[in-house]
């Protein structure tokens, strides 16, 4: 085990020790966990205050006591488990759940060792094991749900080391800041977030899930590559003749509730998870609470750069909720008040039984693409460089590198347009030459049902133009050869004409390149103050349907 580069890269972020090829808990921590595992009759842990004292003892046994937890963490644990939780639920927590979590932590060393053996067996040595994944390092981490639950138990007990971290490192995933934010007069959403996490532990201690979850760091290389689709330029987008995919607009409903097999967009922070374990409570943070397994990705995924995205497949949903799930409406004058309003509206309302089917390697067919939009882009979002950055960010999240080139060749052959499909096909020709038409058809059949479910990504508090962002995501999904995009507007007033725009664009049979060129033309006029209206009003004819703006092809 000492020679494993993957393990050695993540070991500084774990509470375990490695000696003689064996992972282990220090003896004092081992004894403390054994006592917790035997229940309150032995551990004496029957209240939030005493639980926090036990956590401090565990931290001390791991040499973590010199790094203090957030102020008021102790009072937060006491407040939640002794006052906010009902007496019956509290008894179950201390008599059943805490011992169950302790037993899980006792197995953590063996779970990790088994994980590395299993990942080597399935994907090759060092290809999918738990490891630190830095910027520009594409790859996969493949974890079983039991190991994820054990790692999240470490977070509940605040056992992850917090020293020697720089800006490249992932955020700390201990729950101390979240509990420290609890107070009788504080934001109600913080209590609801804790309720979601506590419910997760109640569920996994009642019945441990047995599936798998993959976390993939996706990178669009900036340099030419014979083996990967590279970072498209403005010229690539302008000349693409890939047709626009189906686009459906939903004024109500939630991304996570849609019934189709899709990539569901996480309106992400550049640091995966954003403020999930702090004070945040908008789309990304809520998703991390109802699907707590997402939090584990925060342990090993470094900050995303402009040409990167993170895709997670297989997560299970555990909680139902009420409250606003989307990004905030795009009115700067309302941002501050709406942050409080929408955060306060979030409520945990009970258990959720996830009935999504599994794929061939044991992952639930739930796909999340974490893509971070530009923050406060102002007028730069209308610059060509800004448009390229945002479109490529979405394209990276929506793209499946493993099959894209075969699918692009299949499309090109079927439409006799291979030389003008636009993005990277010439660079990637060598890899697809050996694939027969029947193989390409099989790829198309197995991938064609996976579309995109998204909404007002990068708008609201991030300051993005919702009309531009909706079109950008349509372009990216189409170029990624996704069969459809389902767009949830969350009642955004600026998107009231989105359905009209969708129909008008499809009526004229535009390609990705055509729509891109219209977007660039509008943005240029916006930058030069030749227009002050939104893209939709600028695009749609004022008088009659035949007034079609000229594209580069006309």
């Amino acid at each position: 085990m000492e020679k494993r580069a993957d393990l050695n890269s993540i070991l500084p972020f774990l509470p375990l020790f490695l000696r003689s090829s064996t992972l282990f808990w220090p003896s004092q921590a081992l004894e403390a966990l054994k006592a917790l595992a035997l229940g309150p009759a032995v551990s004496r842990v029957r209240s939030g205050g005493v639980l926090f004292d036990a956590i401090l003892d565990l931290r001390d046994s791991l040499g973590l006591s010199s790094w203090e937890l957030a102020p008021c963490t102790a009072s937060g644990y006491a407040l939640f488990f002794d006052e906010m939780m009902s007496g019956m639920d509290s008894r179950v927590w201390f008599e059943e759940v805490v011992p169950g979590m302790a037993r899980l932590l006792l197995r953590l060393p063996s779970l990790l060792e088994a994980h590395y053996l299993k990942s080597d067996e399935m994907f090759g040595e060092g290809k999918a094991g738990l490891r630190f994944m830095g910027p520009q390092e594409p790859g996969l981490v493949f974890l079983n749900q039991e190991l994820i639950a054990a790692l999240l138990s470490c977070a509940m007990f605040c056992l992850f080391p917090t020293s020697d971290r720089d800006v490249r490192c992932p955020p700390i995933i201990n729950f101390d800041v979240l509990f420290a934010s609890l107070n009788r007069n504080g934001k109600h959403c913080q209590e609801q977030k804790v309720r979601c996490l506590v419910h997760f532990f109640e569920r996994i201690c009642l019945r441990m899930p047995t599936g798998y979850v993959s976390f993939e760091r996706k990178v669009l290389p900036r340099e030419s590559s014979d083996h990967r689709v590279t970072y498209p330029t403005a010229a690539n987008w302008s000349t693409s003749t890939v047709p626009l995919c189906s686009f459906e607009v939903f004024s109500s409903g939630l991304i996570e509730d849609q019934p189709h097999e899709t990539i569901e967009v996480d309106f992400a922070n550049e640091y995966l998870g954003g403020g999930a374990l702090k004070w945040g409570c908008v789309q990304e943070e809520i998703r991390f609470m109802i699907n707590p397994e997402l939090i584990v990705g925060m342990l090993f995924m470094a900050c995303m750069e402009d040409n990167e995205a993170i895709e997670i497949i297989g997560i299970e949903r555990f909680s139902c909720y009420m409250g606003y799930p989307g990004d905030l409406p795009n009115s700067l004058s309302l941002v501050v008040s709406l942050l409080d309003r929408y955060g306060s509206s979030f409520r945990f309302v009970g258990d959720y039984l996830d009935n999504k089917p599994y794929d061939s390697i044991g992952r639930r067919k739930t796909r999340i693409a974490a893509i971070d939009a530009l923050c406060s882009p102002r007028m730069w979002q209308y610059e060509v460089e800004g448009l390229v950055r945002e479109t490529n960010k979405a394209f990276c999240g929506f793209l499946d590198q493993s099959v894209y080139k075969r699918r692009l060749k299949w499309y090109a052959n079927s439409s006799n347009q291979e030389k003008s499909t636009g993005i990277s096909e010439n660079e990637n020709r060598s890899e697809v030459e050996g694939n027969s038409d029947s193989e390409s058809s099989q790829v198309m059949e197995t991938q064609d049902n996976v579309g995109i479910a998204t909404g007002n990504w990068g708008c609201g508090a991030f300051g993005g133009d919702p009309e531009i962002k909706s079109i950008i995501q349509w372009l990216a999904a189409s170029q990624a050869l996704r069969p459809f995009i389902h767009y949830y507007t969350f009642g955004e007033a600026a998107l009231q004409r989105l359905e009209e725009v969708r129909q008008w664009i499809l009526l004229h049979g535009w390609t990705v390149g055509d729509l891109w060129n219209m977007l660039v033309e509008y943005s240029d006029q916006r930058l030069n103050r030749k227009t002050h209206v939104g893209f939709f009003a600028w695009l749609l004819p004022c008088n009659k349907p035949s007034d079609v703006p000229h594209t580069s092809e006309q």
Side-chain angles (χ1 to χ4, degrees):
M1 295 288 284
E2 286 97 336
K3 295 181 180 180
R4 294 196 67 105
D6 47 10
L7 173 59
N8 286 322
S9 73
I10 196 66
L11 195 57
F13 305 114
L14 299 178
L16 299 177
F17 293 79
L18 177 64
R19 185 174 60 219
S20 302
S21 296
T22 301
L23 290 165
F24 65 95
W25 292 104
S27 59
Q28 188 177 348
L30 186 64
E31 293 306 313
L33 288 171
K34 287 180 178 178
L36 283 173
L38 293 173
V42 174
S43 68
R44 308 300 182 191
V45 176
R46 293 190 175 90
S47 69
V50 178
L51 173 60
F52 186 73
D53 289 339
I55 288 172
L56 291 181
D57 289 341
L58 276 169
R59 288 176 55 82
D60 185 59
S61 70
L62 294 168
L64 302 177
S65 56
S66 59
W67 297 291
E68 295 183 357
L69 298 174
C72 303
T73 303
S75 60
Y77 275 82
L79 177 63
F80 184 83
F81 292 110
D82 302 341
E83 298 184 35
M84 292 178 171
M85 207 178 218
S86 71
M88 179 178 296
D89 289 342
S90 182
R91 283 193 296 274
V92 172
W93 175 261
F94 291 111
E95 293 178 4
E96 299 178 17
V97 180
V98 170
M101 293 167 65
R103 290 191 291 271
L104 187 57
L105 287 177
L106 288 170
R107 296 201 303 277
L108 178 58
S110 61
L111 287 172
L112 271 170
E113 291 173 359
H115 152 73
Y116 286 110
L117 292 174
K118 181 70 173 179
S119 64
D120 286 354
E121 176 187 329
M122 293 184 67
F123 298 97
E125 185 173 350
K127 296 292 183 63
L130 179 62
R131 63 195 184 280
F132 173 73
M133 300 193 75
Q136 308 303 312
E137 296 178 10
L140 190 77
V141 168
F142 190 76
L143 307 173
N144 68 49
Q145 288 183 275
E146 186 175 15
L147 175 55
I148 291 173
L151 293 169
L152 290 178
S153 296
C154 289
M156 173 60 85
F157 290 164
C158 302
L159 301 182
F160 288 109
T162 58
S163 64
D164 301 324
R165 304 176 79 92
D166 58 31
V167 293
R168 289 185 69 252
C169 295
I172 297 164
I173 70 167
N174 291 330
F175 291 174
D176 57 313
V177 175
L178 188 56
F179 274 93
S181 69
L182 297 177
N183 62 76
R184 292 177 182 83
N185 299 315
K187 288 185 177 180
H188 190 62
C189 66
Q190 297 299 89
E191 174 191 341
Q192 303 304 311
K193 288 163 67 177
V194 173
R195 288 190 181 278
C196 288
L197 296 174
V198 165
H199 178 66
F200 166 78
F201 291 113
E202 291 170 342
R203 278 276 305 274
I204 60 103
C205 288
L206 185 65
R207 183 177 181 182
M208 182 61 67
T210 59
Y212 291 87
V213 180
S214 64
F215 298 80
E216 181 184 3
R217 192 174 194 95
K218 304 169 73 173
V219 180
L220 288 175
R222 294 186 183 275
E223 301 297 328
S224 179
S225 170
D226 289 335
H227 305 292
R228 301 181 68 81
V229 178
T230 53
Y231 194 82
T233 64
N236 292 140
W237 286 108
S238 178
T239 57
S240 173
T241 59
V242 170
L244 294 170
C245 66
S246 170
F247 189 106
E248 292 187 56
V249 181
F250 298 85
S251 59
S252 62
L254 305 175
I255 291 172
E256 62 269 22
D257 287 342
Q258 53 81 34
H260 304 278
E261 188 172 356
T262 63
I263 293 175
E264 301 169 11
V265 177
D266 167 18
F267 306 165
N269 187 282
E270 59 184 333
Y271 287 94
L272 183 66
L277 300 180
K278 295 182 180 178
W279 298 275
C281 198
V282 285
Q283 195 256 13
E284 179 173 42
E285 290 85 358
I286 290 173
R287 193 65 197 260
F288 274 59
M289 294 302 105
I290 65 173
N291 297 88
E293 292 164 327
L294 287 167
I295 294 170
V296 167
M298 299 167 65
L299 173 65
F300 54 85
M301 285 289 187
C303 175
M304 286 182 279
E305 297 186 351
D306 288 349
N307 61 332
E308 296 184 305
I310 296 170
E311 183 172 357
I312 304 103
I313 303 178
I315 56 164
E316 181 173 353
R317 180 175 169 184
F318 290 86
S319 295
C320 291
Y321 75 97
M322 296 176 61
Y324 189 78
D327 202 355
L328 300 178
N330 193 38
S331 174
L332 293 178
S333 64
L334 295 176
V335 164
V336 174
S337 62
L338 289 177
L339 276 168
D340 287 333
R341 173 184 166 191
Y342 290 130
S344 297
S345 73
F346 175 64
R347 296 287 188 280
F348 166 76
V349 295
D351 188 40
Y352 182 89
L353 294 178
D354 195 331
N355 294 315
K356 286 281 186 73
Y358 292 87
D359 66 14
S360 60
I361 55 176
R363 302 174 300 182
R364 288 183 184 273
K365 291 186 177 181
T366 298
R367 297 170 168 85
I368 305 290
I371 51 175
D372 59 301
L374 292 169
C375 186
S376 301
R378 300 182 183 273
M379 295 305 290
W380 195 70
Q381 66 186 309
Y382 304 110
E383 298 277 1
V384 171
E385 292 83 357
L387 294 172
V388 168
R389 190 274 183 194
E390 296 293 78
T391 311
N392 284 349
K393 173 65 72 166
F395 179 60
C396 184
F398 301 165
L399 177 69
D400 185 345
Q401 287 269 14
S402 67
V403 300
Y404 181 73
K405 287 164 282 188
R406 281 176 287 171
R407 296 182 71 199
L408 191 61
K409 183 188 178 186
W410 183 93
Y411 160 74
N413 288 341
S414 66
S415 60
N416 293 319
Q417 299 183 51
E418 181 173 5
K419 66 179 181 180
S420 56
T421 49
I423 295 183
S424 299
E425 69 274 9
N426 291 329
E427 297 173 355
N428 299 312
R429 190 184 309 275
S430 59
E431 183 168 311
V432 300
E433 287 297 330
N435 295 305
S436 67
D437 290 340
S438 62
E439 287 173 331
S440 297
S441 297
Q442 290 172 4
V443 170
M444 294 297 291
E445 290 172 3
T446 58
Q447 294 293 322
D448 262 356
N449 62 334
V450 181
I452 305 296
T454 189
N456 308 328
W457 168 63
C459 304
F462 267 50
D465 182 330
E467 296 183 20
I468 298 296
K469 285 295 196 294
S470 63
I471 299 301
I472 278 173
Q473 293 183 85
W474 193 2
L475 291 168
S478 300
Q479 188 63 47
L481 304 182
R482 295 297 175 180
F484 63 84
I485 183 169
H486 288 172
Y487 196 100
Y488 294 82
T489 66
F490 303 119
E492 170 61 65
L495 297 178
Q496 289 180 350
R497 301 186 75 182
L498 180 57
E499 174 60 24
E500 184 182 357
V501 167
R502 178 197 76 86
Q503 293 182 16
W504 195 83
I505 289 172
L506 292 177
L507 176 66
H508 293 92
W510 285 356
T511 64
V512 166
D514 293 332
L515 184 54
W516 169 267
N517 291 328
M518 296 307 301
L519 196 60
V520 170
E521 182 180 341
Y522 163 78
S523 297
D524 180 70
Q525 291 187 20
R526 184 71 180 263
L527 286 169
N528 290 291
R529 300 184 178 182
K530 294 180 180 179
T531 185
H532 299 284
V533 301
F535 179 66
F536 294 173
W538 177 87
L539 180 69
L540 291 173
C542 297
N543 300 312
K544 54 184 180 180
S546 60
D547 294 335
V548 184
H550 289 287
T551 71
S552 60
E553 298 295 324
Q554 294 178 309

